[in-house]
Structures are given as C-alpha cells and as structure tokens.
Amino acid sequence: MINPAWSIRLPATVFMVTVLIAVLIAILGSARPAAAERLVTSLSEHRVMVTSSFNGSEVVLFGGIERDSGVLPLRGNYDIAVTVIGPRQNIITFRRARVLGIWVNYESRVFENAPSYLAVLTNRPLQAITSADTLRRLQLGLDEIALPQHIDPVSPADVPDETFRQAFLKLQEEHGLYRQAANGVTFLTPALFQTSIPLPANVPTGTYEIEVKLFADGLMIARTPSALEIYKAGFEQFVTSSAQSHGVSYGLATSMMAILTGWFASVVFRRD
C-alpha cells in the first residue's frame, strides 16, 4: 500500500524536457514525407546543329514521376507544365502609321531582356491546372510572362503598353518563336509523359532553359531544370563568327564580293 503522504516529483526542467521529447516523437511518427514526388526528365538530344539545310526540327522530352514507397495515392491526377525559354535579348517592335500617304514606322517599343524563344506546353489548359494567382506568381503562360518595355525617347507614346505587348506576342507566334499548347504534353502512363519541343527554321542559337513543373490538386509539388543548346556549324558558323569578331573586315569583304558579283554579271550578260 502506497503511503499518500509520499510522492515523487520531477524537477520542472526535467518534466518540460520529457514532455517536449514525447511531443516530438508523436509528430515524427505521424508526419508523412514533405516531398513525396520528384521528376526525372531526359531529352532526345541535348545539342541541335543548325546548317544551311536546316528547316526546323523537334526535340522530344521524356519524363517520369517517382514516388516514395510509403506515400498514399493522390486524390487527383498529375499535371505537367513544360517551359522552354531561349536566349534573352532586346527586341524592338514597331507600329506602322500612314504619314503623308506613306506607311512608315511611326512608334516603337523595346522589349528588354525578352525571351527570343518561348514555348509553354501542358497536358491541359493552364487555368484548369492551377489558380490565376499561382500562374501569375510563377509567370507561367504567354499572358503571365514578364515583358518589360522601354519607350524610345524620340518615339511618341500614343499607344498603351498592353497594345504593344499583344502585338509583340502575336508577331512572335506568327514567326513560330512563341507558342502555348494545352495538349502539348502526353501522359503515356499515369507516371510517364512526353512532349515535343518544336524548333522553327529561324530559331535563334544559344542555350535554352527548360523547366518542368509538376502539379497536383492545383499545387506545384515538384520542378526540375534542364538545358538545350542550339549552335551553328560549318560555313554558317564561320560567317557568324567573322561578322561578330571582325566587323570591319567582314563589311569590306562583303562589299567587295557584291562589287565583283555585279561586275561579273555585267560581263556575262553584256550585249554587244
């Protein structure tokens, strides 16, 4: 029989430490992994060579979703968004207007640090994948990509910036340099997918940034980067390098070639 006059009392510090350890063990025992899914991707080719006969190409991206063994099935399906961004550069867009009966470039905007190539490929429309706030925060889609504009001081500012932005996007889409495809990603199995990255004949050279984002229930749960290089080879590369490295010599050489070509044509087609 225990004498009620006696009791065991732990010091306050020891008691608090014991409680904290018990709570920590309970949390760790009930917690699930924070990052349950991860992406694994690969390109059909990491370097694309541009020659004189190049008329466009396609690079296929394959991907898989790996999941930890103890993760419970998701309530919804996966969604994939692939963004391909070409080398950034300053691009000038002109607006033509009739002045004294002649169409001239009346106003212009400089889009600073704009992607020379941009493709957004998804398995379904972006609005069905996640919220508008998330699209805006991630700059996902042609409507959300940041395109800062600079007004030429000598150019009038009669047209709103948004009008120039829409015209710029339309021109880039017509040239095949910007595109957004809601059916650009195909799931081969619930965890395997593929997409084709179209490269037009006028595709700029340089390093392309590729980012694959994984969504589930409207939330981005994983992302992985990749890269693609497009380069010139052969005589085209020699001409490009000469023009960039020896501008004066290149200009004199091309002028001389034009003069000689004109003289040779006048000799061949001369009528006596």
Side-chain angles (χ1 to χ4, degrees):
M1 182 176 179
I2 300 177
N3 190 342
W6 294 87
S7 64
I8 299 175
R9 176 177 297 177
L10 296 175
T13 303
V14 176
F15 178 75
M16 292 178 62
V17 170
T18 304
V19 172
L20 290 175
I21 293 176
V23 172
L24 182 60
I25 293 175
I27 293 175
L28 293 177
S30 60
R32 292 188 299 176
E37 290 86 1
R38 58 181 178 269
L39 287 165
V40 179
T41 61
S42 180
L43 296 171
S44 59
E45 50 185 326
H46 291 271
R47 303 187 72 204
V48 176
M49 182 174 62
V50 176
T51 61
S52 58
S53 59
F54 181 81
N55 57 359
S57 179
E58 282 191 351
V59 175
V60 180
L61 182 144
F62 299 93
I65 305 169
E66 293 186 352
R67 299 171 57 193
D68 295 340
S69 58
V71 178
L72 297 176
L74 292 174
R75 292 173 294 174
N77 295 326
Y78 291 116
D79 289 302
I80 293 292
V82 180
T83 304
V84 185
I85 298 179
R88 294 183 177 272
Q89 55 188 216
N90 293 341
I91 304 176
I92 303 177
T93 299
F94 293 95
R95 183 180 74 89
R96 299 177 62 191
R98 186 184 292 274
V99 178
L100 300 177
I102 302 176
W103 286 99
V104 297
N105 293 329
Y106 180 72
E107 188 176 356
S108 66
R109 290 288 193 280
V110 179
F111 289 86
E112 299 178 337
N113 205 29
S116 59
Y117 176 93
L118 177 61
V120 182
L121 311 170
T122 57
N123 60 303
R124 57 178 181 154
L126 287 170
Q127 292 73 17
I129 292 178
T130 186
S131 64
D133 291 339
T134 302
L135 295 176
R136 192 177 304 110
R137 176 172 55 84
L138 298 176
Q139 295 188 24
L140 188 56
L142 298 185
D143 293 335
E144 304 298 340
I145 189 70
L147 294 172
Q149 302 180 34
H150 172 71
I151 303 177
D152 191 340
V154 300
S155 176
D158 299 336
V159 180
D161 291 347
E162 183 60 25
T163 302
F164 264 95
R165 175 189 171 90
Q166 295 302 323
F168 171 77
L169 292 174
K170 182 179 179 181
L171 289 173
Q172 293 295 86
E173 289 184 80
E174 291 177 352
H175 296 158
L177 296 176
Y178 279 25
R179 63 179 284 117
Q180 180 171 317
N183 58 348
V185 176
T186 302
F187 274 92
L188 306 177
T189 68
L192 296 177
F193 59 90
Q194 75 170 23
T195 182
S196 295
I197 302 172
L199 302 175
N202 58 337
V203 63
T205 58
T207 301
Y208 285 60
E209 302 173 3
I210 303 175
E211 187 171 50
V212 183
K213 298 181 178 67
L214 174 64
F215 292 86
D217 296 333
L219 300 176
M220 187 182 69
I221 58 177
R223 66 199 303 176
T224 184
S226 185
L228 170 68
E229 182 184 2
I230 300 178
Y231 67 101
K232 291 183 178 181
F235 181 72
E236 292 80 5
Q237 178 60 29
F238 171 75
V239 173
T240 301
S241 301
S242 300
Q244 295 177 349
S245 304
H246 310 284
V248 177
S249 301
Y250 175 80
L252 293 175
T254 52
S255 300
M256 186 61 65
M257 289 179 60
I259 294 173
L260 292 176
T261 302
W263 172 79
F264 181 75
S266 65
V267 172
V268 172
F269 297 101
R270 182 176 56 187
R271 295 182 179 180
D272 296 330

